[in-house]
Amino acid sequence: MNALALDTATPYLVLGTLHSERTLRRGRAHAETLVGDLENFLVWSGVEPAELDLIVVGEGPGSYTGLRVGLATATALARAWDLPLVGVPTLEAVATPPQGAQVVWPSRNRFAYVLDNLGAPARKEALEALADAGCRVWAAPPSGRRLARLGLEAWRAGRKSAEPRYL
């Protein structure tokens, strides 16, 4: 089984399958580059659309436009290729923290999204309060392979949808 994952919730365009990934810093240019970058990724990774079983999309948190670009593209691919679509929270694909650790992703306006435990919803906190509490900000992009794996696990567990988590 193979899954194609894409995430546009952060300044990075993240593409992945269970065996390969590519992360490209695109800032706010996801809409302009996503389709071409996706075509190049599939050629580079040696994956044909017919070999895919699932489309996975990062649900954010992220900007309205960034999430809409990713969700619209993932939905179009799923419909065109007759594949199921599932969403995964972007922060869960960033890292697997040790027990009790936090994943923190900075957003605009001096806030950040904090993931205390995998599977729990992210909460919004002021960056200043996090710094005062000694929390380290983690700003690495999500992993495309991890996003694909998490999507496959969610789909096998019965999840059959994708819901955006706006900033």
Side-chain angles (χ1 to χ4, degrees):
M1 185 156 220
N2 204 359
L4 172 66
L6 64 99
D7 188 287
T8 57
T10 71
Y12 299 93
L13 169 58
V14 176
L15 302 166
T17 66
L18 296 175
H19 305 291
S20 60
E21 67 184 343
R22 183 168 282 171
T23 303
L24 305 162
R25 184 162 179 85
R26 292 295 184 235
R28 294 183 178 192
H30 294 99
E32 292 88 351
T33 67
L34 177 55
V35 173
D37 288 336
L38 178 59
E39 288 173 343
N40 291 336
F41 172 73
L42 290 173
V43 169
W44 173 80
S45 64
V47 174
E48 294 289 331
E51 299 174 81
L52 297 169
D53 302 294
L54 178 68
I55 303 293
V56 180
V57 63
E59 297 176 322
S63 71
Y64 180 83
T65 302
L67 290 175
R68 298 309 319 166
V69 167
L71 285 162
T73 303
T75 300
L77 292 172
R79 289 182 180 170
W81 295 339
D82 195 27
L83 295 173
L85 170 69
V86 66
V88 174
T90 298
L91 288 180
E92 290 193 16
V94 170
T96 304
Q99 187 66 25
Q102 296 174 320
V103 174
V104 178
W105 186 267
S107 70
R108 293 183 216 157
N109 303 326
R110 305 200 40 81
F111 283 93
Y113 286 88
V114 181
L115 182 67
D116 293 313
N117 298 298
L118 292 179
R123 60 187 166 80
K124 191 173 184 177
E125 293 277 341
L127 275 173
E128 192 173 295
L130 292 170
D132 290 346
C135 186
R136 188 171 156 211
V137 175
W138 180 275
S143 161
R145 281 190 293 237
R146 179 158 171 72
L147 192 67
R149 189 174 69 248
L150 287 169
L152 186 57
E153 290 170 5
W155 184 70
R156 286 180 174 158
R159 181 134 194 237
K160 308 290 185 213
S161 65
E163 297 293 326
R165 300 161 194 239
Y166 299 115
L167 288 177

